[in-house]
Amino acid sequence: MSLSSRSRLVAAPQVQARRFHDEVVVGDMMGGEYYALDEVGAKVWEGLLAGATVAEVATKLAEEYDAEQARIEGDILALVAELLARRLLVEAST
Amino acid sequence: VTEGLPALRALLAAVHGEQRRIHAVASEVSDWAALFALARSHGVGAVALDAARRAGVALPGDVVEGHERLLLMEGMRQEALRQTLDQVVVRLAEAAIPHVALKGPVLAARIYDRADMRPSTDLDVLVAPESLEATAIALAPLGYSLEGGARGRFFRDHHHHVHLIHPTLPLIELHQEAYRGFGTALPAAGLLARRVPHGATWVLAPEDEWLYLAVHGASHRFERLSWLYDLELLCRAAPAIRWDVVAARAREYRVTAVVALALAFLSEWLSFDVDDERELPRLGRVRARVARNLARPRASHIANALASFAFAGLLCEPATALGFGARFLRVKLLHEAPLRARGYFAS
């Protein structure tokens, strides 16, 4: 399965995540590494884990920040690719 | 890490007292970042922060935020441990394997204000020695397997627990004895026979649990204050602990000096005395002084190993001391040292 704007993602089984003020702290319980997603990253994480596609999250953020959807979608895809590479997210089976 | 230790001990000793005692300790603290770092290294980071907050101590905002962030991460790990234990308990129940959850998230949930306040790194489960294989089979569908190789063999042959490992879930220390050391052992049979239910799982009877936690903490020379603080909290959570039973079990398991040491450290470091000490053993002044000195953490692994050897030998009963010394040297020198040299253990 390749990453696209229609992709849906879930947290990897070894991952725990919690809100911390404006951020979301994502922890890899096996690797012992923790990542802090900033305000926008936190909204992406929470949107994806609520079941939205990359495109749906991008639409919501574009409205909220009055920004160009294509650019936001590109940024989200780049973030998701990194989270996939770090095995914090996995693509949901359809 | 020992700098600031007296202040941390004083803070813990004040947690259940009047708030002015916490203020008295706080007024002496010049570096909260260092104190909280020390508290985290002793497994009491959340306890220290809660105590200071409850007493209304003015804390530097940036220090609190950094400390909270680290505690949050620790809490996430505890949540992962709890979720895994829930799955393990279901499998053990399905396989009808009698077990006890030692320490870990179940203890934390029972004696701390919040379950994520007591950090653990893995899960400890006690089963009968004859159930080890059945337990490994029961947990295989979760993806767990017995650790193999030289390290797996070492633990199987020389330790009171083996390791169940998983590619993504936390390590399980599967105990066939609650503890082996000080020239003696806490075998599973009696502990399992007296276990008590707790939700979907089982825990040790209060007297056994207090004894086990004392022995476990002493086996690590109480390097973490949380191991001592657990004993205080268990007393507060289970006020009906029968100390005559604790004393009798300590004699049965030949750990009277260990219990005496735990009581002495509780009194001295946390200003906590159990309600009824009449039946309980006491540590002589000289022995207590030597134990206190040996309990200080050393910089090198070798110095720590020697201090541990002397500390454990000091707490052995005369009848078991010779066997303890021979076994300690045989296991450490003949079996553990070669593995350590090959990097099988973190130094």
mmCIF file of all heavy atoms in Angstrom, chain A residues 33-64:
data_model
loop_
_atom_site.group_PDB
_atom_site.id
_atom_site.type_symbol
_atom_site.label_atom_id
_atom_site.label_comp_id
_atom_site.label_asym_id
_atom_site.label_seq_id
_atom_site.Cartn_x
_atom_site.Cartn_y
_atom_site.Cartn_z
ATOM 1 N N GLU A 33 11.985 5.879 22.610
ATOM 2 C CA GLU A 33 12.135 7.236 22.097
ATOM 3 C C GLU A 33 10.798 7.969 22.127
ATOM 4 O O GLU A 33 9.753 7.362 21.915
ATOM 5 C CB GLU A 33 12.677 7.198 20.661
ATOM 6 C CG GLU A 33 14.145 6.807 20.636
ATOM 7 C CD GLU A 33 14.616 6.423 19.246
ATOM 8 O OE1 GLU A 33 13.765 6.106 18.412
ATOM 9 O OE2 GLU A 33 15.826 6.430 19.027
ATOM 10 N N TYR A 34 10.883 9.249 22.387
ATOM 11 C CA TYR A 34 9.680 10.069 22.483
ATOM 12 C C TYR A 34 9.797 11.241 21.527
ATOM 13 O O TYR A 34 10.883 11.776 21.309
ATOM 14 C CB TYR A 34 9.502 10.586 23.914
ATOM 15 C CG TYR A 34 9.223 9.480 24.907
ATOM 16 C CD1 TYR A 34 10.265 8.750 25.464
ATOM 17 C CD2 TYR A 34 7.926 9.160 25.270
ATOM 18 C CE1 TYR A 34 10.020 7.724 26.365
ATOM 19 C CE2 TYR A 34 7.663 8.141 26.175
ATOM 20 C CZ TYR A 34 8.712 7.427 26.717
ATOM 21 O OH TYR A 34 8.472 6.412 27.600
ATOM 22 N N TYR A 35 8.675 11.628 20.957
ATOM 23 C CA TYR A 35 8.638 12.723 19.996
ATOM 24 C C TYR A 35 7.540 13.689 20.421
ATOM 25 O O TYR A 35 6.474 13.255 20.872
ATOM 26 C CB TYR A 35 8.327 12.196 18.593
ATOM 27 C CG TYR A 35 9.283 11.109 18.144
ATOM 28 C CD1 TYR A 35 9.046 9.774 18.478
ATOM 29 C CD2 TYR A 35 10.423 11.414 17.407
ATOM 30 C CE1 TYR A 35 9.924 8.777 18.087
ATOM 31 C CE2 TYR A 35 11.305 10.416 17.007
ATOM 32 C CZ TYR A 35 11.047 9.101 17.356
ATOM 33 O OH TYR A 35 11.918 8.113 16.973
ATOM 34 N N ALA A 36 7.817 14.976 20.250
ATOM 35 C CA ALA A 36 6.799 15.975 20.544
ATOM 36 C C ALA A 36 6.310 16.562 19.229
ATOM 37 O O ALA A 36 7.120 17.057 18.431
ATOM 38 C CB ALA A 36 7.377 17.064 21.434
ATOM 39 N N LEU A 37 5.008 16.459 18.992
ATOM 40 C CA LEU A 37 4.414 17.085 17.804
ATOM 41 C C LEU A 37 3.881 18.443 18.229
ATOM 42 O O LEU A 37 3.160 18.539 19.232
ATOM 43 C CB LEU A 37 3.284 16.209 17.263
ATOM 44 C CG LEU A 37 3.689 14.803 16.796
ATOM 45 C CD1 LEU A 37 2.458 13.994 16.400
ATOM 46 C CD2 LEU A 37 4.670 14.892 15.637
ATOM 47 N N ASP A 38 4.218 19.472 17.462
ATOM 48 C CA ASP A 38 3.770 20.817 17.825
ATOM 49 C C ASP A 38 2.265 20.946 17.608
ATOM 50 O O ASP A 38 1.585 19.974 17.260
ATOM 51 C CB ASP A 38 4.564 21.882 17.068
ATOM 52 C CG ASP A 38 4.310 21.827 15.558
ATOM 53 O OD1 ASP A 38 3.377 21.095 15.133
ATOM 54 O OD2 ASP A 38 5.047 22.483 14.806
ATOM 55 N N GLU A 39 1.775 22.153 17.778
ATOM 56 C CA GLU A 39 0.321 22.375 17.751
ATOM 57 C C GLU A 39 -0.326 21.812 16.487
ATOM 58 O O GLU A 39 -1.330 21.095 16.543
ATOM 59 C CB GLU A 39 0.061 23.888 17.858
ATOM 60 C CG GLU A 39 -1.398 24.240 17.915
ATOM 61 C CD GLU A 39 -1.604 25.757 17.923
ATOM 62 O OE1 GLU A 39 -0.672 26.494 18.290
ATOM 63 O OE2 GLU A 39 -2.702 26.184 17.548
ATOM 64 N N VAL A 40 0.271 22.126 15.327
ATOM 65 C CA VAL A 40 -0.314 21.661 14.062
ATOM 66 C C VAL A 40 -0.109 20.147 13.929
ATOM 67 O O VAL A 40 -1.031 19.407 13.544
ATOM 68 C CB VAL A 40 0.306 22.414 12.852
ATOM 69 C CG1 VAL A 40 -0.299 21.896 11.559
ATOM 70 C CG2 VAL A 40 0.068 23.908 12.990
ATOM 71 N N GLY A 41 1.089 19.687 14.253
ATOM 72 C CA GLY A 41 1.373 18.245 14.199
ATOM 73 C C GLY A 41 0.424 17.465 15.105
ATOM 74 O O GLY A 41 -0.027 16.365 14.766
ATOM 75 N N ALA A 42 0.109 18.071 16.239
ATOM 76 C CA ALA A 42 -0.809 17.417 17.175
ATOM 77 C C ALA A 42 -2.188 17.271 16.547
ATOM 78 O O ALA A 42 -2.848 16.232 16.691
ATOM 79 C CB ALA A 42 -0.889 18.234 18.464
ATOM 80 N N LYS A 43 -2.618 18.310 15.836
ATOM 81 C CA LYS A 43 -3.939 18.240 15.192
ATOM 82 C C LYS A 43 -3.942 17.189 14.081
ATOM 83 O O LYS A 43 -4.936 16.495 13.881
ATOM 84 C CB LYS A 43 -4.316 19.621 14.639
ATOM 85 C CG LYS A 43 -4.717 20.579 15.750
ATOM 86 C CD LYS A 43 -5.038 21.955 15.245
ATOM 87 C CE LYS A 43 -5.450 22.850 16.424
ATOM 88 N NZ LYS A 43 -5.601 24.236 16.045
ATOM 89 N N VAL A 44 -2.825 17.082 13.382
ATOM 90 C CA VAL A 44 -2.719 16.055 12.333
ATOM 91 C C VAL A 44 -2.820 14.670 12.979
ATOM 92 O O VAL A 44 -3.586 13.808 12.535
ATOM 93 C CB VAL A 44 -1.383 16.199 11.564
ATOM 94 C CG1 VAL A 44 -1.167 15.010 10.628
ATOM 95 C CG2 VAL A 44 -1.348 17.512 10.784
ATOM 96 N N TRP A 45 -2.035 14.466 14.022
ATOM 97 C CA TRP A 45 -2.017 13.155 14.704
ATOM 98 C C TRP A 45 -3.425 12.790 15.191
ATOM 99 O O TRP A 45 -3.913 11.686 14.942
ATOM 100 C CB TRP A 45 -1.033 13.216 15.883
ATOM 101 C CG TRP A 45 -0.989 11.962 16.696
ATOM 102 C CD1 TRP A 45 -1.787 11.640 17.762
ATOM 103 C CD2 TRP A 45 -0.110 10.841 16.510
ATOM 104 N NE1 TRP A 45 -1.457 10.400 18.246
ATOM 105 C CE2 TRP A 45 -0.436 9.889 17.493
ATOM 106 C CE3 TRP A 45 0.911 10.555 15.609
ATOM 107 C CZ2 TRP A 45 0.234 8.658 17.612
ATOM 108 C CZ3 TRP A 45 1.581 9.333 15.725
ATOM 109 C CH2 TRP A 45 1.236 8.410 16.702
ATOM 110 N N GLU A 46 -4.051 13.739 15.862
ATOM 111 C CA GLU A 46 -5.365 13.433 16.442
ATOM 112 C C GLU A 46 -6.421 13.233 15.361
ATOM 113 O O GLU A 46 -7.308 12.384 15.500
ATOM 114 C CB GLU A 46 -5.769 14.545 17.418
ATOM 115 C CG GLU A 46 -4.936 14.490 18.692
ATOM 116 C CD GLU A 46 -5.146 15.663 19.634
ATOM 117 O OE1 GLU A 46 -5.694 16.703 19.208
ATOM 118 O OE2 GLU A 46 -4.736 15.551 20.806
ATOM 119 N N GLY A 47 -6.310 14.006 14.261
ATOM 120 C CA GLY A 47 -7.258 13.837 13.150
ATOM 121 C C GLY A 47 -7.115 12.466 12.517
ATOM 122 O O GLY A 47 -8.111 11.763 12.281
ATOM 123 N N LEU A 48 -5.884 12.067 12.259
ATOM 124 C CA LEU A 48 -5.643 10.763 11.625
ATOM 125 C C LEU A 48 -6.110 9.630 12.540
ATOM 126 O O LEU A 48 -6.744 8.665 12.086
ATOM 127 C CB LEU A 48 -4.160 10.591 11.307
ATOM 128 C CG LEU A 48 -3.596 11.508 10.217
ATOM 129 C CD1 LEU A 48 -2.079 11.383 10.141
ATOM 130 C CD2 LEU A 48 -4.219 11.185 8.860
ATOM 131 N N LEU A 49 -5.816 9.774 13.828
ATOM 132 C CA LEU A 49 -6.189 8.682 14.739
ATOM 133 C C LEU A 49 -7.701 8.638 15.002
ATOM 134 O O LEU A 49 -8.221 7.621 15.470
ATOM 135 C CB LEU A 49 -5.417 8.787 16.054
ATOM 136 C CG LEU A 49 -4.166 7.889 16.076
ATOM 137 C CD1 LEU A 49 -3.206 8.221 14.964
ATOM 138 C CD2 LEU A 49 -3.474 7.942 17.405
ATOM 139 N N ALA A 50 -8.368 9.751 14.662
ATOM 140 C CA ALA A 50 -9.839 9.740 14.771
ATOM 141 C C ALA A 50 -10.455 9.056 13.550
ATOM 142 O O ALA A 50 -11.673 8.903 13.474
ATOM 143 C CB ALA A 50 -10.347 11.164 14.910
ATOM 144 N N GLY A 51 -9.622 8.695 12.575
ATOM 145 C CA GLY A 51 -10.122 7.938 11.427
ATOM 146 C C GLY A 51 -10.198 8.716 10.132
ATOM 147 O O GLY A 51 -10.630 8.182 9.100
ATOM 148 N N ALA A 52 -9.788 9.985 10.149
ATOM 149 C CA ALA A 52 -9.853 10.798 8.923
ATOM 150 C C ALA A 52 -8.717 10.433 7.969
ATOM 151 O O ALA A 52 -7.669 9.937 8.404
ATOM 152 C CB ALA A 52 -9.761 12.281 9.293
ATOM 153 N N THR A 53 -8.936 10.659 6.674
ATOM 154 C CA THR A 53 -7.858 10.471 5.700
ATOM 155 C C THR A 53 -6.926 11.681 5.757
ATOM 156 O O THR A 53 -7.263 12.717 6.343
ATOM 157 C CB THR A 53 -8.413 10.359 4.271
ATOM 158 O OG1 THR A 53 -9.058 11.605 3.962
ATOM 159 C CG2 THR A 53 -9.409 9.205 4.143
ATOM 160 N N VAL A 54 -5.798 11.554 5.090
ATOM 161 C CA VAL A 54 -4.859 12.679 4.999
ATOM 162 C C VAL A 54 -5.564 13.884 4.370
ATOM 163 O O VAL A 54 -5.449 15.024 4.859
ATOM 164 C CB VAL A 54 -3.619 12.263 4.163
ATOM 165 C CG1 VAL A 54 -2.767 13.479 3.813
ATOM 166 C CG2 VAL A 54 -2.788 11.219 4.923
ATOM 167 N N ALA A 55 -6.347 13.647 3.303
ATOM 168 C CA ALA A 55 -7.030 14.748 2.622
ATOM 169 C C ALA A 55 -8.058 15.401 3.537
ATOM 170 O O ALA A 55 -8.192 16.641 3.556
ATOM 171 C CB ALA A 55 -7.709 14.222 1.357
ATOM 172 N N GLU A 56 -8.772 14.617 4.299
ATOM 173 C CA GLU A 56 -9.790 15.181 5.202
ATOM 174 C C GLU A 56 -9.145 16.034 6.293
ATOM 175 O O GLU A 56 -9.660 17.108 6.646
ATOM 176 C CB GLU A 56 -10.612 14.045 5.827
ATOM 177 C CG GLU A 56 -11.573 13.402 4.833
ATOM 178 C CD GLU A 56 -12.108 12.045 5.294
ATOM 179 O OE1 GLU A 56 -11.595 11.494 6.307
ATOM 180 O OE2 GLU A 56 -13.009 11.520 4.627
ATOM 181 N N VAL A 57 -8.004 15.574 6.808
ATOM 182 C CA VAL A 57 -7.292 16.375 7.820
ATOM 183 C C VAL A 57 -6.800 17.672 7.183
ATOM 184 O O VAL A 57 -6.911 18.760 7.776
ATOM 185 C CB VAL A 57 -6.110 15.580 8.420
ATOM 186 C CG1 VAL A 57 -5.277 16.470 9.354
ATOM 187 C CG2 VAL A 57 -6.611 14.358 9.178
ATOM 188 N N ALA A 58 -6.300 17.563 5.944
ATOM 189 C CA ALA A 58 -5.783 18.753 5.255
ATOM 190 C C ALA A 58 -6.897 19.772 5.039
ATOM 191 O O ALA A 58 -6.697 20.984 5.222
ATOM 192 C CB ALA A 58 -5.162 18.344 3.920
ATOM 193 N N THR A 59 -8.073 19.308 4.660
ATOM 194 C CA THR A 59 -9.214 20.212 4.427
ATOM 195 C C THR A 59 -9.540 20.987 5.702
ATOM 196 O O THR A 59 -9.721 22.207 5.694
ATOM 197 C CB THR A 59 -10.446 19.392 3.979
ATOM 198 O OG1 THR A 59 -10.094 18.670 2.815
ATOM 199 C CG2 THR A 59 -11.638 20.289 3.714
ATOM 200 N N LYS A 60 -9.579 20.246 6.800
ATOM 201 C CA LYS A 60 -9.932 20.873 8.079
ATOM 202 C C LYS A 60 -8.887 21.924 8.477
ATOM 203 O O LYS A 60 -9.224 23.033 8.908
ATOM 204 C CB LYS A 60 -10.044 19.789 9.157
ATOM 205 C CG LYS A 60 -10.736 20.255 10.397
ATOM 206 C CD LYS A 60 -10.997 19.118 11.350
ATOM 207 C CE LYS A 60 -11.494 19.691 12.665
ATOM 208 N NZ LYS A 60 -11.283 18.806 13.772
ATOM 209 N N LEU A 61 -7.617 21.556 8.323
ATOM 210 C CA LEU A 61 -6.558 22.494 8.713
ATOM 211 C C LEU A 61 -6.509 23.698 7.782
ATOM 212 O O LEU A 61 -6.223 24.824 8.208
ATOM 213 C CB LEU A 61 -5.205 21.781 8.726
ATOM 214 C CG LEU A 61 -4.991 20.783 9.874
ATOM 215 C CD1 LEU A 61 -3.602 20.167 9.802
ATOM 216 C CD2 LEU A 61 -5.178 21.456 11.228
ATOM 217 N N ALA A 62 -6.789 23.475 6.486
ATOM 218 C CA ALA A 62 -6.777 24.586 5.515
ATOM 219 C C ALA A 62 -7.838 25.610 5.904
ATOM 220 O O ALA A 62 -7.607 26.830 5.821
ATOM 221 C CB ALA A 62 -7.035 24.051 4.106
ATOM 222 N N GLU A 63 -8.991 25.117 6.340
ATOM 223 C CA GLU A 63 -10.059 26.037 6.776
ATOM 224 C C GLU A 63 -9.637 26.767 8.053
ATOM 225 O O GLU A 63 -9.771 27.979 8.173
ATOM 226 C CB GLU A 63 -11.344 25.255 7.067
ATOM 227 C CG GLU A 63 -12.070 24.797 5.812
ATOM 228 C CD GLU A 63 -13.211 23.827 6.135
ATOM 229 O OE1 GLU A 63 -13.532 23.666 7.327
ATOM 230 O OE2 GLU A 63 -13.737 23.222 5.184
ATOM 231 N N GLU A 64 -9.089 26.012 8.972
ATOM 232 C CA GLU A 64 -8.751 26.580 10.278
ATOM 233 C C GLU A 64 -7.642 27.629 10.173
ATOM 234 O O GLU A 64 -7.694 28.662 10.839
ATOM 235 C CB GLU A 64 -8.315 25.438 11.212
ATOM 236 C CG GLU A 64 -8.217 25.845 12.656
ATOM 237 C CD GLU A 64 -7.940 24.648 13.569
ATOM 238 O OE1 GLU A 64 -8.222 23.496 13.179
ATOM 239 O OE2 GLU A 64 -7.418 24.896 14.666
#
